[in-house]
Amino acid sequence: EEYRKEMRELLEKQNEEYARTELLESVWAAVLEGTEVTEYPEEDVKAGVQEFYDYYQKGADIYGMEFDEFLESLGTTEEQFEDQVTAAAQENVKQDLIVELICEKEKITISDEDYEVALEELAEEMSYGSVDEMIEDATEEKVRKYVMRDLVKEWLVDHCIQVKE
């Protein structure tokens, strides 16, 4: 009986977490879909594109290939790759802009203590040995943006109105 009770509680908790995650992703997708960026900050997009190039160049280096050969092995041309990474960089910039706007309008902030806790959780979730390793790999600014994005998503879920389809 005790085992059944524990299993029931565990399954209920997992179901609640799953439902919350599904809601979180649905709400964020709706916000992204309902938001139009009229002009992207050119420097931010260029920086994002460069990050993709750097990442894939490292992949080419690991395999001892020239960049164009590496792209070809992935089934894409440099022109197609440029289009894909530009679109991905714009999507990342769009999400950053949305987060900034919502934080500003709704006065969403995070305390230093909560930020430190979020960093620890994120480092563990992403299988880093420490927060320092994560920040070294991704930069403090990127990690902060990621933490704030999660905070905004949680805020959106807490303030959304759910309707049945």
Side-chain angles (χ1 to χ4, degrees):
E1 189 60 38
E2 202 174 299
Y3 174 74
R4 283 182 190 208
K5 183 181 176 188
E6 267 186 58
M7 287 307 294
R8 181 179 195 83
E9 288 173 2
L10 177 65
L11 290 172
E12 286 175 355
K13 182 180 177 190
Q14 287 175 340
N15 283 339
E16 286 173 15
E17 289 172 2
Y18 175 77
R20 177 121 178 135
T21 299
E22 286 293 308
L23 179 59
L24 191 136
E25 294 305 319
S26 295
V27 169
W28 187 240
V31 168
L32 291 175
E33 188 178 306
T35 304
E36 179 184 344
V37 177
T38 55
E39 186 177 336
Y40 289 93
E42 193 174 320
E43 286 183 26
D44 293 346
V45 173
K46 281 182 181 178
V49 167
Q50 188 60 52
E51 285 177 27
F52 281 110
Y53 269 94
D54 293 345
Y55 177 80
Y56 281 89
Q57 182 62 58
K58 285 179 187 174
D61 293 344
I62 288 170
Y63 289 104
M65 301 171 82
E66 293 296 320
F67 189 70
D68 58 339
E69 289 177 301
F70 185 69
L71 291 180
E72 189 176 312
S73 75
L74 297 174
T76 190
T77 65
E78 191 155 356
E79 185 177 293
Q80 291 169 325
F81 180 76
E82 175 76 24
D83 292 343
Q84 291 167 350
V85 298
T86 299
Q90 286 176 334
E91 184 63 25
N92 287 338
V93 169
K94 177 181 180 178
Q95 291 187 45
D96 290 344
L97 292 172
I98 290 169
V99 168
E100 286 175 28
L101 182 63
I102 291 172
C103 285
E104 183 181 309
K105 286 199 170 281
E106 300 301 333
K107 298 180 182 14
I108 298 171
T109 59
I110 188 168
S111 70
D112 290 342
E113 291 135 19
D114 289 343
Y115 179 67
E116 292 300 321
V117 169
L119 285 179
E120 291 289 338
E121 290 172 356
L122 184 59
E124 184 178 324
E125 181 182 313
M126 299 180 88
S127 302
Y128 281 98
S130 69
V131 170
D132 291 337
E133 276 182 39
M134 179 178 65
I135 289 174
E136 185 180 309
D137 200 28
T139 78
E140 176 82 32
E141 181 185 2
K142 286 196 177 316
V143 172
R144 181 168 281 283
K145 284 181 179 182
Y146 191 87
V147 168
M148 292 308 293
R149 188 179 296 178
D150 278 351
L151 186 63
V152 166
K153 287 178 180 181
E154 291 292 338
W155 184 90
L156 289 167
V157 166
D158 292 340
H159 292 84
C160 74
I161 299 172
Q162 298 178 50
V163 291
K164 278 189 174 182
E165 289 186 20

